[in-house]
Amino acid sequence: KSGLFDEGGTVSVYGGSHNEIEPSFDYGGSSGSFNYFVAGDYITDGLGIESPDGSSTPIHDRTKQYHGFGYVEDILDQHSSLTAIVGVSDDIFQIPDNPGEVADMGLDDEGQTTFDSSKLDENQRERTDYAIVSYLRSDGSLDTQISVFGRFSSLFFTPDPIGDLLFNGIAQTAYKRDDAYGVQAESAYHWGDAHTLRAGLVVENDKLTSNTSSTVLPESCSGAGTVASPYVCSPLPPSDPDYDVPENILDDSTKNSWTYGFYVQDEWKILQNLTLNYGVRYDTYAAYSSGSQISPRINAVWVPWEGTTLHAGYARYFSPPPFELVGNETVLKFENTSGIATPALLADTTPVAERADYYDAGLQQQIVEGLRVGLDSYYKLSKNMIDEGQFGAPIILTPFNYAHGRQYGAEVTLDYTMDNLTAYANFAVERAVGKDWVTSEFSFSPTDFFYAESHFINLDHEALTSASAGASYKWHDTLITADMIYGYGLRADLPVSAGSVPGCSACTDIPNGTHTPAYVQLNAGVVQNFTLYNIQGLSARLDAINLTDTKYFIRNGSGIGVFAPQYGPRRGLFVGLSKSF
């Protein structure tokens, strides 16, 4: 909108605690009617994934990451332009080890029955490349943009071949790849002073490749794989010649997915201070499952007087399950095998789309000059509510559906800006519950499944209350910052006495029935701009993360779809130096 880019860029290097080093650069400019901007960075860090034991630098947790971004634009004439955006990301993670764990499944891998958990060697690589080309034309009352896009994403997990087998009963190499291509087009027509008509469509095709190679041990199993008769396995006796001989199970598949969406909408300026947006959207998809929906939506914005804005709205949503995460595991292939390879429940219903009614209302109020307060509230009622969990060693989330879901809450926000001081504060309360798992049943234990059939349970990511606040002050060439976050604690299983849950004598915990302890994390920083030996454009910064070195849980390793404990970052000091040109 503003025309051509100013010439210039920045080179920086940043790092500190956890053995972090991060060089980066960006540069942009213009030539004639042509704009361009490029950026890139490299990160190496000893805290690639959240610590499982609360230490500052966990064992086997290094990450190396490469990122690049490019933007080019050609202003063809006063009415139109052509742009292209490209991005690349290549992230390599070691999976952190939790020392002191015991392989207690009673498995024997060709004579080896124990393994030092601090020497596990699991690794994961994630790649994403994307490109977008867009044509924009604005001619009189009509604005139109047409874009074509492509995206490649892949994930490759390699296990510890012996350690994973002894700890989990399975050592699985997993490769997932999603190639997506599509087109998106949108137009807006300004019809007089009162109406703006909008319409748009999106069409996308995805091709998913999912290959797994699983090393397991043979076991003797019985049961029907139902809640009433769970599938139960035990190691073969040593007298059996196959009891300690691993076998390999391949489970490969490919699948194409199509998604289509179309919407029409009218922005009606009823009065100078009252605007109504209303419209309808149609979506359909066909992948591992399929579905479609017509979704109306309406919202109003009213400014009764200067400094006050009220809004309220309703929308019907249709959310297909994340195609690239839908599991292709053929459960029956893993019958009579070890550990978590053979689930207690053998049902494997494919995840389906979530359908939800969403209501929201709120206000923004200018209190005094520079101070603004906001209040927003929402209520969402879902059918086949989608959630995700990590049910195996690879850091791959598995989607599943609750038959019924409810999510509601409110948030208060404040922000203040006056001269060189900027400050903000937020406080939120939420409630998110679901009932009755109806897809991906093999992911759950029979007792948890039984409980969720007749009880609403808290979603694993629900934190009853949360808050954040921060401030920054500019003093000459120095910027001083401070911020904090507060968390009520995410969900965890609640231990109960056996038989205390009505109708479930085997239940010994309530899934997601309690939460981890609340916590506060304080951070601070300072940035100094300066000139050295007539070299201008220099900037140095110092950041302190978790000033009080508070050791706190993000997750404690229990709860639905939680594979391991995770701790917040311990105290870290980081410095950076940059040069603009």
Side-chain angles (χ1 to χ4, degrees):
K1 292 182 177 180
S2 60
L4 300 176
F5 291 178
D6 292 330
E7 200 87 16
T10 305
V11 293
S12 302
V13 62
Y14 186 80
S17 296
H18 320 305
N19 298 314
E20 178 180 334
I21 301 175
E22 180 183 354
S24 62
F25 77 93
D26 64 75
Y27 189 80
S30 61
S31 177
S33 62
F34 185 74
N35 284 318
Y36 59 91
F37 177 82
V38 293
D41 65 63
Y42 165 76
I43 301 172
T44 179
D45 193 334
L47 187 65
I49 297 174
E50 289 87 352
S51 171
D53 61 0
S55 62
S56 179
T57 305
I59 301 171
H60 196 264
D61 196 15
R62 178 149 294 279
T63 182
K64 295 182 180 180
Q65 304 179 26
Y66 308 83
H67 308 124
F69 176 83
Y71 173 91
V72 294
E73 175 190 43
D74 190 10
I75 302 173
L76 303 177
D77 54 46
Q78 62 179 336
H79 298 292
S80 58
S81 64
L82 186 67
T83 64
I85 297 172
V86 296
V88 296
S89 175
D90 190 351
D91 303 336
I92 302 170
F93 298 93
Q94 293 178 329
I95 308 302
D97 295 337
N98 196 4
E101 297 294 308
V102 178
D104 57 2
M105 300 185 70
L107 299 176
D108 187 327
D109 180 8
E110 297 182 323
Q112 184 167 343
T113 59
T114 62
F115 198 93
D116 185 348
S117 64
S118 67
K119 296 182 179 179
L120 286 167
D121 186 18
E122 301 171 333
N123 299 273
Q124 186 158 302
R125 182 178 185 181
E126 302 173 10
R127 294 184 57 194
T128 297
D129 305 319
Y130 64 89
I132 309 165
V133 177
S134 300
Y135 173 75
L136 172 65
R137 183 169 183 83
S138 181
D139 195 354
S141 299
L142 181 65
D143 302 326
T144 300
Q145 178 167 294
I146 301 175
S147 303
V148 293
F149 59 87
R151 182 188 68 249
F152 159 81
S153 295
S154 69
L155 182 152
F156 183 49
F157 174 84
T158 55
D160 188 297
I162 298 176
D164 278 21
L165 186 59
L166 294 178
F167 277 101
N168 303 320
I170 181 173
Q172 183 181 87
T173 300
Y175 176 75
K176 282 182 174 286
R177 170 173 173 161
D178 181 25
D179 297 280
Y181 305 93
V183 60
Q184 179 173 322
E186 294 185 274
S187 291
Y189 179 71
H190 305 279
W191 184 20
D193 296 330
H195 294 272
T196 299
L197 305 178
R198 293 182 172 89
L201 64 86
V202 61
V203 179
E204 180 176 332
N205 173 252
D206 288 68
K207 180 181 179 181
L208 177 67
T209 301
S210 180
N211 298 333
T212 63
S213 175
S214 305
T215 301
V216 295
L217 287 165
E219 290 200 349
S220 175
C221 303
S222 61
T226 64
V227 172
S229 177
Y231 204 62
V232 179
C233 300
S234 58
L236 298 176
S239 58
D240 191 307
D242 295 325
Y243 93 102
D244 65 345
V245 180
E247 59 181 290
N248 191 58
I249 297 176
L250 299 178
D251 197 11
D252 300 341
S253 69
T254 60
K255 186 70 174 180
N256 271 283
S257 164
W258 284 96
T259 57
Y260 307 88
F262 174 77
Y263 80 91
V264 291
Q265 175 185 309
D266 178 27
E267 179 185 310
W268 180 16
K269 200 171 186 63
I270 301 173
L271 300 171
Q272 187 65 28
N273 63 346
L274 178 60
T275 301
L276 184 70
N277 277 282
Y278 59 97
V280 64
R281 177 176 175 126
Y282 173 76
D283 292 280
T284 184
Y285 81 101
Y288 288 104
S289 59
S290 60
S292 61
Q293 180 174 288
I294 297 174
S295 307
R297 51 199 59 188
I298 184 170
N299 73 77
V301 179
W302 180 37
V303 184
W305 49 78
E306 185 178 356
T308 301
T309 303
L310 305 173
H311 67 86
Y314 162 80
R316 176 78 169 156
Y317 285 111
F318 179 77
S319 305
F323 174 68
E324 72 280 4
L325 297 180
V326 174
N328 72 306
E329 179 178 287
T330 307
V331 175
L332 295 181
K333 283 188 175 183
F334 292 85
E335 286 188 285
N336 293 305
T337 61
S338 53
I340 63 173
T342 304
L345 302 178
L346 298 183
D348 182 15
T349 307
T350 302
V352 296
E354 175 181 329
R355 305 171 190 268
D357 294 288
Y358 186 91
Y359 306 85
D360 76 286
L363 64 87
Q364 294 284 330
Q365 177 65 55
Q366 189 84 25
I367 305 297
V368 295
E369 183 182 359
L371 177 61
R372 184 175 58 182
V373 62
L375 172 64
D376 286 282
S377 61
Y378 63 92
Y379 180 83
K380 182 181 178 185
L381 188 64
S382 303
K383 179 181 179 182
N384 292 327
M385 181 179 64
I386 295 175
D387 200 358
E388 298 171 2
Q390 184 198 345
F391 296 101
I395 311 299
I396 303 173
L397 297 177
T398 298
F400 57 93
N401 295 92
Y402 290 86
H404 309 283
R406 300 173 187 165
Q407 305 104 71
Y408 49 92
E411 181 179 19
V412 178
T413 63
L414 296 99
D415 61 82
Y416 178 77
T417 302
M418 183 61 67
D419 299 326
N420 295 333
L421 175 64
T422 299
Y424 69 91
N426 307 298
F427 177 79
V429 58
E430 68 167 336
R431 182 73 167 171
V433 295
K435 178 182 177 182
D436 192 9
W437 296 310
V438 292
T439 63
S440 301
E441 298 93 338
F442 68 91
S443 300
F444 307 102
S445 72
T447 53
D448 285 351
F449 191 90
F450 176 87
Y451 185 88
E453 274 188 315
S454 55
H455 297 80
F456 277 96
I457 64 173
N458 301 88
L459 305 189
D460 65 284
H461 53 266
E462 181 207 81
L464 182 62
T465 57
S466 58
S468 62
S472 64
Y473 183 76
K474 184 71 179 293
W475 183 62
H476 300 294
D477 290 329
T478 304
L479 179 68
I480 303 169
T481 68
D483 65 83
M484 62 80 67
I485 56 173
Y486 159 81
Y488 176 79
L490 297 182
R491 307 308 300 184
D493 288 343
L494 175 64
V496 297
S497 301
S500 62
V501 176
C504 186
S505 59
C507 290
T508 56
D509 58 53
I510 295 177
N512 292 350
T514 186
H515 63 91
T516 57
Y519 61 88
V520 174
Q521 179 179 311
L522 303 176
N523 312 303
V526 59
V527 182
Q528 177 69 53
N529 298 321
F530 63 98
T531 299
L532 182 66
Y533 298 117
N534 294 322
I535 301 175
Q536 298 182 339
L538 295 172
S539 178
R541 69 179 300 137
L542 171 66
D543 294 313
I545 305 300
N546 194 354
L547 272 168
T548 59
D549 198 25
T550 301
K551 183 178 179 180
Y552 65 90
F553 274 121
I554 299 175
R555 304 181 186 275
N556 69 0
S558 72
I560 301 301
V562 179
F563 180 70
Q566 295 174 300
Y567 286 83
R570 300 296 295 273
R571 179 166 50 218
L573 297 176
F574 303 89
V575 296
L577 180 66
S578 63
K579 169 71 171 71
S580 59
F581 55 91

